[in-house]
């Protein structure tokens, strides 16, 4: 298996994932994540995101091959009910897998007290009101103010990989994986009523400034990491780090994104 001689195996805490891990552990030798050429991830999309963030935080990113033992499994490959067949074919599946590059977002948030936080997001960065009062946001793209005051529940910036998640639920557009675009999508916009969001080049830098930040507090979430009481948030694509997902032939992420657009 050229390029993938040393494999790591990670599993979520669910019974299904733990059972699959036990079967795979007995099938071959595995190495710790920090020594591996690639990692096999057993679980759902949430656990895959957790694994990818773990690698980003460690600043050592290797290809990840997911097997869906969760619910949706948008970032995962199909599992097989026949465990023996499944474990025998794992090496072959990895050898035949195609690679998909995913560019994460880099988010910097400043709080009302002046603290600064930096996180990466693979799916989206979302700003959400903390109280029953509507959030008021100023939206700037590449240094130019595009919306002086957006009254809404929040706004999010989604990658193509994340465009079918929260972004789609907020009526945002689905972005093909190779589009090199970002979705800027409002969440329950009140004013301006006609604005339904924008599709921007991935080279864009988006800055959201919270108006009346103390009276109308806003939190920001980068995938699973939250910062509360923010005054400003900037988002851009991270050109320093690229993630690699491995997919079985015929089950790639770009095909799933196209398929999702024809769901009725």
């Amino acid at each position: 298996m050229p390029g993938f001689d040393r494999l790591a195996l990670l599993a979520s805490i669910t019974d299904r994932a733990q059972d699959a891990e036990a079967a795979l552990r007995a099938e071959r030798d595995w190495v710790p994540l920090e020594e591996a050429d690639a990692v096999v991830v057993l679980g759902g999309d949430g656990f895959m995101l957790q694994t990818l963030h773990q690698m980003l935080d460690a600043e050592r990113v290797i290809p990840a091959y997911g097997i869906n033992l969760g619910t949706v499994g948008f970032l995962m490959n199909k599992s097989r009910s026949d465990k023996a067949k499944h474990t025998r074919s794992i090496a072959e599946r990895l050898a035949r897998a195609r690679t998909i590059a995913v560019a994460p977002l880099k988010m910097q948030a400043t709080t009302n007290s002046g603290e600064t936080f930096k996180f990466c997001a693979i799916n989206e960065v979302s700003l959400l009101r903390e109280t029953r009062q509507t959030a008021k946001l100023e939206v700037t793209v590449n240094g130019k103010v595009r919306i002086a005051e957006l009254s809404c529940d929040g706004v999010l910036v989604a990658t193509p990989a994340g465009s079918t998640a929260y972004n789609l639920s907020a009526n945002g557009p689905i972005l093909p994986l190779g589009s090199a675009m970002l979705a800027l999508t409002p969440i329950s916009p009140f004013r301006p009523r006609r604005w339904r969001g924008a599709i921007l080049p991935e080279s864009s830098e988006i800055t959201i400034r919270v108006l009346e930040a103390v009276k109308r507090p806003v939190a920001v979430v980068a995938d699973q990491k939250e910062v509360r009481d923010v005054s400003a948030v900037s988002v851009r694509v991270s050109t320093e780090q690229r993630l690699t997902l491995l997919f079985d032939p015929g089950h790639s992420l770009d095909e799933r994104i196209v398929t999702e657009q024809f769901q009725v």
Side-chain angles (χ1 to χ4, degrees), residues 204-230:
S204 303
E205 181 163 353
I206 302 160
T207 301
I208 312 293
R209 188 167 67 91
V210 182
L211 308 177
E212 303 178 32
V214 175
K215 179 182 178 182
R216 303 172 185 270
V218 170
V220 64
V221 180
D223 283 349
Q224 300 146 337
K225 297 180 179 178
E226 181 185 53
V227 180
R228 298 181 69 84
D229 300 331
V230 297

Side-chain angles (χ1 to χ4, degrees), residues 15 61 70 94 152 169 171 220 231:
D15 291 340
V61 177
L94 275 164
C152 56
S169 297
N171 297 315
V220 64
S231 60

Side-chain angles (χ1 to χ4, degrees), residues 2-40:
F4 298 139
D5 295 325
R6 298 172 298 173
L7 294 178
L9 180 63
L10 298 178
S12 71
I13 61 173
T14 65
D15 291 340
R16 288 183 65 203
Q18 291 295 308
D19 288 345
E21 180 189 26
L24 285 173
R25 288 281 179 199
E27 194 66 24
R28 58 166 294 138
D29 292 329
W30 302 87
V31 301
L33 182 63
E34 58 271 17
E35 300 175 11
D37 300 315
V39 56
V40 176

Side-chain angles (χ1 to χ4, degrees), residues 239-257:
T239 57
E240 303 86 7
Q241 294 173 304
R242 295 272 174 170
L243 300 164
T244 300
L245 299 179
L246 301 172
F247 288 97
D248 293 330
H251 297 288
S252 62
L253 185 56
D254 49 357
E255 170 60 25
R256 293 183 182 204
I257 288 174

Side-chain angles (χ1 to χ4, degrees), residues 122-124 158-168:
I122 298 159
N123 274 358
E124 76 277 319
T159 66
S163 66
T164 57
Y166 190 9
N167 173 71
L168 182 59

Side-chain angles (χ1 to χ4, degrees), residues 20-189:
E21 180 189 26
L24 285 173
R25 288 281 179 199
E27 194 66 24
R28 58 166 294 138
D29 292 329
W30 302 87
V31 301
L33 182 63
E34 58 271 17
E35 300 175 11
D37 300 315
V39 56
V40 176
V41 181
L42 308 176
D45 287 338
F47 189 67
M48 174 60 85
L49 287 175
Q50 179 182 324
T51 300
L52 295 175
H53 277 289
Q54 180 180 344
M55 292 192 291
L56 286 172
D57 292 342
E59 298 184 349
R60 184 177 186 272
V61 177
I62 59 176
Y65 179 88
I67 297 177
N68 184 29
L69 295 167
T71 305
V72 179
F74 195 80
L75 300 175
M76 317 297 278
N77 295 282
K78 291 182 179 179
S79 62
R80 298 181 180 178
S81 57
D82 182 344
K83 290 184 180 179
K85 183 178 181 181
H86 169 73
T87 54
R88 284 196 303 269
S89 62
I90 187 66
E92 181 183 4
R93 290 176 74 177
L94 275 164
R96 296 177 63 241
R98 60 172 298 197
T99 61
I100 296 292
V102 175
L105 298 172
K106 179 171 285 188
M107 181 272 289
Q108 178 172 307
T110 303
T111 67
N112 294 336
S113 62
E115 292 182 277
T116 300
F117 295 86
K118 296 180 181 180
F119 295 121
C120 286
I122 298 159
N123 274 358
E124 76 277 319
V125 171
S126 55
L127 286 83
L128 303 163
R129 63 186 176 99
E130 295 181 20
T131 68
R132 57 187 174 82
Q133 287 189 300
T134 301
K136 291 188 176 182
L137 309 173
E138 178 192 78
V139 180
T140 299
V141 180
N142 295 331
K144 183 175 182 178
V145 175
R146 294 294 181 176
I147 299 181
E149 185 177 299
L150 172 63
S151 298
C152 56
D153 281 355
V155 68
L156 63 85
V157 181
T159 66
S163 66
T164 57
Y166 190 9
N167 173 71
L168 182 59
S169 297
N171 297 315
I174 295 177
L175 303 176
L177 199 60
S179 64
M181 307 296 282
L182 299 173
L184 177 62
T185 302
I187 302 169
S188 300

